[in-house]
Amino acid sequence: KTNVMFLKTHKTASSTVLNIMFRFAERYNLTVALPADQLFHLGYPRTFLAHFVEGFEAIGQNYNIMCNHLRFNPLEVKKVMAANTFYFSILRNPIPLLESSYIYYKNNVPAFRSSKNVNEFLASPTKYYHPADYRESIYARNIMWFDFGYDNNAEDDAKYTQAVLEEIEQNFHLILIADYFDESMILLKHALCWDLDDVIYFKLNSRSQDTVQTLTPESEEQIKAWCSLDWKLYLHFNQSFWRRIEETIGLEVLEKEVGHLRTRQKELMETCLSEQEAVRKDHIKNKGLLPFQSGAANILGYNLKQDLDNRTLRMCQKMVMPELQYTSYLYTVQHP
């Protein structure tokens, strides 16, 4: 399948998925719906409109791939993407997700800025969080719910949440789970009829361990209540994810293919990288491959081996290229 829409959610390993999508688009010479005016988001946090896509007036419904951040709006996305488009997204357990958001958006979100650490914020979130600063504060509560186009401050009412879950099931063919990333890639590969090399990746936009704050057991429980819409979303689609695997691939085949994926990934790391792992921002030699840094996080990147032949170098560069650089690069290719 070559017509694919990926709803890129925040702090869910979605930058790694975006890189997979961009490389796939290049490999098969596909057109990507890039943000207009050389921006990096498709209008986010505004609700998506078709004219947020560069060249939409001229190109119309002839885009193959859409994967930059946007706030989902199915009717407008359908104006851009073909009728047979495959829609998928990714969710993450709201407990590590909120801690990750806290560190990453520490300086942007008033609710995070005015609290000392994540546990202090969670002890009494309403003290710091004001729904009225919604633009700045979306990252502090039910961010996934918001990315899917819904009100992240809505009352958690059983009838309402059920209706939203059903609507998401109608709009999306597949919802992956970041906490099982390799398994997700195998499921995606099967759903899209892609090759293993189409879903090989190096982990992008991750941060150093020393910027991770430890949540207290009380904070973990508090997240389930404070982000109860995201919690319900996650529980629901985590179940359907494993059900989908059992019905389509089976756990045995899954395990075997995850093994192949990891072996191939290790081979590519040995081919491409001078260190066999991601390195801290101050150790990245080529500043062109430095990922965007945010908040109190130290976002890791990679160093490529010297003396790679041109073809290998190009492939390796694309695998480690951070989101903003890759978006800019595709922009110059598609809109010279």
Side-chain angles (χ1 to χ4, degrees), residues 166-202:
E166 284 171 16
E167 192 165 64
I168 292 173
E169 283 187 332
Q170 280 165 1
N171 286 327
F172 289 85
H173 299 94
L174 182 63
I175 304 285
L176 303 175
I177 301 291
D179 313 71
Y180 305 100
F181 194 80
D182 288 349
E183 292 82 353
S184 289
M185 290 307 98
I186 299 304
L187 190 55
L188 183 68
K189 169 180 102 74
H190 280 265
L192 294 173
C193 308
W194 286 8
D195 295 329
L196 186 65
D197 267 10
D198 294 327
V199 296
I200 293 288
Y201 68 92
F202 295 158

Side-chain angles (χ1 to χ4, degrees), residues 23 26 272 304 308-321 326 329:
R23 282 184 288 122
E26 282 202 274
C272 294
L304 298 178
L308 295 170
D309 64 81
N310 280 343
R311 207 175 129 253
T312 311
L313 177 65
R314 274 202 302 274
M315 176 201 68
C316 295
Q317 272 173 336
K318 296 293 164 61
M319 288 199 70
V320 302
M321 193 178 280
Y326 212 152
Y329 165 77

Side-chain angles (χ1 to χ4, degrees), residues 54-71:
E54 183 66 50
F56 170 69
E57 274 72 24
I59 297 172
Q61 213 177 17
N62 287 318
Y63 295 92
N64 305 108
I65 302 283
M66 179 185 252
C67 57
N68 289 74
H69 275 305
L70 59 83
R71 188 171 183 214

Side-chain angles (χ1 to χ4, degrees), residues 70-131:
L70 59 83
R71 188 171 183 214
F72 194 59
N73 182 0
L75 295 174
E76 289 290 311
V77 172
K78 284 192 171 90
K79 291 182 185 172
V80 177
M81 301 303 288
N84 68 348
T85 296
F86 183 94
Y87 286 78
F88 80 102
S89 188
I90 189 165
L91 299 173
R92 181 183 181 187
N93 184 325
I95 296 172
L97 174 78
L98 189 100
E99 186 275 332
S100 176
S101 294
Y102 186 91
I103 303 297
Y104 197 83
Y105 298 109
K106 179 73 173 149
N107 308 340
N108 309 55
V109 174
F112 292 163
R113 242 194 338 250
S114 52
S115 53
K116 269 207 303 289
N117 57 45
V118 69
N119 291 308
E120 184 183 275
F121 166 71
L122 286 163
S124 48
T126 48
K127 189 168 116 185
Y128 305 103
Y129 178 87
H130 307 292

Side-chain angles (χ1 to χ4, degrees), residues 156-323:
D156 182 353
D157 158 81
K159 217 167 111 181
Y160 164 69
T161 52
Q162 194 47 41
V164 167
L165 294 175
E166 284 171 16
E167 192 165 64
I168 292 173
E169 283 187 332
Q170 280 165 1
N171 286 327
F172 289 85
H173 299 94
L174 182 63
I175 304 285
L176 303 175
I177 301 291
D179 313 71
Y180 305 100
F181 194 80
D182 288 349
E183 292 82 353
S184 289
M185 290 307 98
I186 299 304
L187 190 55
L188 183 68
K189 169 180 102 74
H190 280 265
L192 294 173
C193 308
W194 286 8
D195 295 329
L196 186 65
D197 267 10
D198 294 327
V199 296
I200 293 288
Y201 68 92
F202 295 158
K203 198 172 170 190
L204 296 180
N205 211 37
S206 63
R207 63 194 159 126
S208 59
Q209 269 314 110
D210 59 359
T211 59
V212 177
Q213 293 185 7
T214 307
L215 294 161
T216 64
E218 294 75 29
S219 291
E220 295 198 353
E221 285 310 306
Q222 179 66 16
I223 291 172
K224 296 179 194 175
W226 173 243
C227 296
S228 64
L229 299 171
D230 270 4
W231 185 246
K232 285 190 169 168
L233 185 65
Y234 174 74
L235 290 180
H236 178 86
F237 284 104
N238 185 37
Q239 276 186 324
S240 65
F241 173 79
W242 290 104
R243 207 167 44 239
R244 177 79 165 257
I245 281 172
E246 279 167 13
E247 288 166 5
T248 55
I249 318 173
L251 290 172
E252 261 176 75
V253 175
L254 176 76
E255 209 173 312
K256 205 161 68 207
E257 293 202 22
V258 165
H260 294 322
L261 177 81
R262 288 175 181 163
T263 306
R264 181 76 181 113
Q265 182 182 49
K266 205 164 164 296
E267 277 171 18
L268 284 170
M269 288 187 129
E270 281 162 11
T271 302
C272 294
L273 306 178
S274 56
E275 300 90 344
Q276 292 307 291
E277 55 182 9
V279 297
R280 299 171 64 92
K281 60 183 178 192
D282 35 2
H283 293 180
I284 297 169
K285 297 190 182 82
N286 176 352
K287 294 307 170 212
L289 295 175
L290 181 72
F292 177 73
Q293 301 292 324
S294 176
N298 183 329
I299 304 298
L300 306 174
Y302 294 95
N303 287 317
L304 298 178
K305 280 187 174 164
Q306 304 293 305
D307 320 319
L308 295 170
D309 64 81
N310 280 343
R311 207 175 129 253
T312 311
L313 177 65
R314 274 202 302 274
M315 176 201 68
C316 295
Q317 272 173 336
K318 296 293 164 61
M319 288 199 70
V320 302
M321 193 178 280
E323 183 174 334

